[in-house]
Amino acid sequence: MPIGVNPQPPETIQLSGQSGFFWKSQGTMPSDLLESARVRVRTACLVIGGIWLYALIMNQVVYRLLGQPVLSNGMTWSTEQSALIAVGFAFSLIAAWVMNRLQSNPALAIDLGLVFLVITALFVALVTEWTPRRDTNGISWLCLLILLYPAIAPASIGKILAAALAAATMYPIAVGVAIIVRGVSFHPTPYEWMWLISPPYLSAFLAIVPATVIRGLGRQVRKARELGSYTLQERLGVGGMGEVYRGTHRLLARPAALKLITPSALHTGKEDSDRVVIERFRREAEAAANLRSPHTIELYDFGVADDGTFYYVMELLDGLDLEKIIKRFGPVPPARAIHLLEQACDSLGEAHVRGLVHRDLKPSNLFACRMGLEVDFVKVLDFGLVKNEAAKRSEEEVRLTAVGSISGTPAFMAPEMIEGNAVGPASDVYALGCVAYWLLTGKFVFQATNPTAMLVKHLQQPPVPPSVVSKQPIPPKLDQLILDCLAKDPAARPANAVELGRRLNGCEETSQWTQDMAQRWWAQHMIPEPDATGSTSAPRTDTTLSASNAFLEEPGVLEGSTS
């Protein structure tokens, strides 16, 4: 489930001491909550703009239709007041537009929202105090604005208090403008001054209450998002069985992908189904932890949270899976296909030697990423359907496999898997043959209108050679090797990924995909490596992050497009 992400991880600050966690900036909030706050600030700008428009209609339309009656303070609405309302309306729309443009920097949007609060308070004070009131029983509209705004955005207490006090100060400034600039006579008693000035400032200090509530909620969210030594940040993906989050080690600041299965996802009401999900989760963790190939996704940690959430922590990858590469950029040259497949064989070869069979190989589970200075570095993902071939097939193992019908992806399933026969390394070889076909042609081995028809073709129909389907020339040796991988009889295929890797190496006689070629491709289509300052020489285009993702789908359900 590749998901776009900001190259700079959100700032997370932890201070030790009796007070625990403090907010130094909005960066301590999870990024999805920051984005939600940005949307609320934009909404607040639009709502205030709507109120300005309402006031403008009342003053310019309704007031005139009623014959411009004298107000209770003995005054009438002036043209200058209407002009201020119009400016306030325009300012609100501009602010909403700015907030909409700050999707990549929600923390800045929240800070600018406080500036919007202060400037709006000035317009409100100038309009309402165009002729200063002496009614001590009334409350200024400023009070409502000051009290409600802190509940919209999770700014720090200090920033909220500073902005609220500045907004409250707009009242005496507006009165001063009326007296000094307009020459209005206004001589309240000291007692009246206290009643007129104190409510906005009292409201400013009361604004700390909603700010503190928001701060506490954010702290609770942070605590709820701490798993082991890792803190969850933005969500990278979600599915029916769980979620994937970007996370950071609280001490090492190491970025990672955290894969979760929540208790609610497990409680399906079907005991067997719940057990299958848990077992798949445990298997993937164990399989990934015991494999040492650099081309296997690395597992950092595994555990169960206090609320029963299963999680494990994996390395965060920067790149694209092979499905996305072909869909976005078209089929790759044979030399590059060989380069990518050889790396996948390195990972799977180790698994096969250890008696493990992946059973769910497909382009979306093969990830081409940046690893150090190297690009087009393949990582094999998702060992959730892994099977220990060497282990004795107990009754429990049979039940685990049988629940929910066939496990796998129809476009990449070996015939023996479809028939429910013994599955071995040759089944992964068949899937890699399907992946190779996809890389070279951009098409599945078989075209079908539904999963069942796809499975029947894998069982009965001979594949068309990729050289016939491809628009680019394919070396005969590679063409034949792919057909060998797609043999219906497992014994006719390369025995395992180790043998397939050797034969792929023998297909490189005509041409090779070098790192220089890979670097040029990445420089053209992907983001360049950040420099020491964290910046890049070109804008981010489609850098993506991924951990394993097939666990997000229901267990035992045939998945994937078959058209």
Side-chain angles (χ1 to χ4, degrees):
M1 185 178 305
I3 303 293
V5 71
N6 192 299
Q8 300 297 329
E11 179 187 5
T12 302
I13 299 169
Q14 179 179 352
L15 302 177
S16 60
Q18 294 181 349
S19 299
F21 289 90
F22 291 87
W23 287 9
K24 182 175 178 180
S25 73
Q26 288 91 346
T28 58
M29 287 282 288
S31 62
D32 56 333
L33 296 186
L34 279 176
E35 171 59 16
S36 177
R38 180 195 66 82
V39 172
R40 291 199 303 273
V41 172
R42 182 191 64 187
T43 302
C45 295
L46 293 174
V47 169
I48 291 175
I51 295 175
W52 283 125
L53 180 61
Y54 167 78
L56 196 60
I57 293 174
M58 289 293 292
N59 296 343
Q60 290 295 305
V61 179
V62 177
Y63 183 66
R64 292 178 183 275
L65 290 176
L66 296 178
Q68 298 182 337
V70 177
L71 303 180
S72 59
N73 60 0
M75 304 298 294
T76 59
W77 279 104
S78 68
T79 303
E80 291 85 353
Q81 284 174 295
S82 295
L84 285 171
I85 293 173
V87 172
F89 172 67
F91 176 68
S92 297
L93 295 184
I94 293 172
W97 178 81
V98 170
M99 301 306 166
N100 194 56
R101 300 281 293 180
L102 289 175
Q103 296 181 18
S104 61
N105 195 346
L108 177 60
I110 294 171
D111 286 341
L112 291 179
L114 295 176
V115 176
F116 171 77
L117 166 65
V118 175
I119 296 177
T120 298
L122 175 61
F123 285 127
V124 171
L126 288 174
V127 171
T128 57
E129 305 304 327
W130 190 251
T131 299
R133 58 189 173 82
R134 294 189 61 173
D135 181 10
T136 58
N137 294 322
I139 298 295
S140 172
W141 281 93
L142 283 179
C143 298
L144 183 63
L145 181 66
I146 293 170
L147 283 172
L148 290 182
Y149 188 86
I152 296 176
S156 65
I157 291 178
K159 290 181 179 180
I160 284 290
L161 180 60
L165 289 173
T169 305
M170 296 302 108
Y171 172 76
I173 288 177
V175 173
V177 170
I179 295 174
I180 298 173
V181 178
R182 298 186 56 244
V184 175
S185 178
F186 184 60
H187 303 288
T189 66
Y191 179 75
E192 289 175 327
W193 263 117
M194 291 180 62
W195 270 113
L196 292 171
I197 291 180
S198 60
Y201 285 100
L202 178 61
S203 298
F205 285 101
L206 290 177
I208 296 176
V209 175
T212 302
V213 171
I214 295 295
R215 172 177 175 265
L217 291 175
R219 196 159 56 194
Q220 291 178 26
V221 170
R222 278 194 44 123
K223 184 176 180 180
R225 291 187 173 188
E226 292 175 359
L227 294 174
S229 300
Y230 287 82
T231 298
L232 271 63
Q233 295 169 343
E234 73 264 29
R235 188 169 64 186
L236 302 181
V238 62
M241 298 308 299
E243 300 170 309
V244 177
Y245 282 86
R246 179 188 176 106
T248 301
H249 194 282
R250 294 203 299 271
L251 298 178
L252 302 178
R254 175 177 62 183
L258 285 90
K259 187 173 175 178
L260 314 178
I261 292 183
T262 59
S264 59
L266 298 178
H267 297 159
T268 62
K270 299 179 181 179
E271 180 181 354
D272 280 347
S273 181
D274 296 349
R275 181 178 48 77
V276 167
V277 175
I278 297 172
E279 182 64 14
R280 288 183 64 189
F281 196 69
R282 182 190 64 79
R283 282 181 172 207
E284 182 172 0
E286 291 183 353
N290 290 323
L291 296 176
R292 289 293 177 264
S293 168
H295 296 288
T296 300
I297 187 77
E298 185 177 354
L299 179 69
Y300 295 151
D301 199 1
F302 171 80
V304 181
D306 293 339
D307 64 352
T309 297
F310 288 80
Y311 73 91
Y312 60 92
V313 188
M314 310 173 76
E315 62 181 318
L316 201 58
L317 303 180
D318 180 357
L320 283 176
D321 64 57
L322 300 191
E323 179 181 7
K324 291 289 191 300
I325 287 178
I326 302 306
K327 285 184 176 179
R328 208 159 291 179
F329 306 110
V332 301
R336 189 181 186 191
I338 293 171
H339 173 74
L340 298 172
L341 291 168
E342 282 184 319
Q343 296 178 78
C345 286
D346 184 275
S347 169
L348 294 166
E350 181 193 12
H352 291 168
V353 169
R354 291 174 177 266
L356 300 174
V357 183
H358 190 287
R359 296 203 301 169
D360 195 26
L361 289 172
K362 52 189 174 182
S364 61
N365 280 339
L366 300 175
F367 202 90
C369 63
R370 184 191 304 278
M371 190 61 56
L373 298 177
E374 190 173 349
V375 294
D376 256 9
F377 194 95
V378 172
K379 288 280 188 175
V380 177
L381 312 178
D382 196 357
F383 284 81
L385 291 180
V386 71
K387 177 193 172 196
N388 191 333
E389 186 191 25
K392 184 177 180 180
R393 189 173 174 84
S394 64
E395 180 182 351
E396 179 69 12
E397 174 73 14
V398 172
R399 291 182 62 213
L400 177 64
T401 304
V403 171
S405 72
I406 302 173
S407 295
T409 306
F412 303 91
M413 288 180 67
E416 61 271 20
M417 293 182 65
I418 300 170
E419 293 176 329
N421 295 332
V423 174
S427 302
D428 285 347
V429 170
Y430 186 94
L432 281 177
C434 296
V435 171
Y437 204 100
W438 168 262
L439 292 177
L440 293 169
T441 67
K443 300 179 182 296
F444 295 144
V445 177
F446 301 109
Q447 308 301 308
T449 57
N450 57 70
T452 301
M454 176 73 76
L455 296 178
V456 171
K457 288 188 176 184
H458 276 288
L459 281 172
Q460 301 175 356
Q461 185 172 314
V464 177
S467 57
V468 176
V469 180
S470 176
K471 296 180 180 180
Q472 59 181 329
I474 297 177
K477 188 179 292 188
L478 178 60
D479 197 45
Q480 184 57 52
L481 177 56
I482 293 174
L483 292 177
D484 290 346
C485 292
L486 297 175
K488 306 298 183 187
D489 183 2
R493 304 172 203 152
N496 53 39
V498 176
E499 180 182 339
L500 177 57
R502 294 196 191 103
R503 294 186 59 179
L504 284 168
N505 185 263
C507 294
E508 292 183 337
E509 297 174 356
T510 55
S511 63
Q512 285 188 326
W513 182 259
T514 65
Q515 265 300 297
D516 287 341
M517 298 167 67
Q519 293 283 357
R520 286 195 296 271
W521 188 91
W522 276 63
Q524 180 180 356
H525 298 291
M526 303 290 287
I527 172 180
E529 178 70 23
D531 59 23
T533 65
S535 63
T536 60
S537 58
R540 292 184 68 89
T541 53
D542 196 33
T543 299
T544 58
L545 298 166
S546 177
S548 174
N549 60 62
F551 84 102
L552 296 176
E553 298 152 357
E554 296 291 343
V557 176
L558 294 178
E559 58 194 37
S561 171
T562 59
S563 59

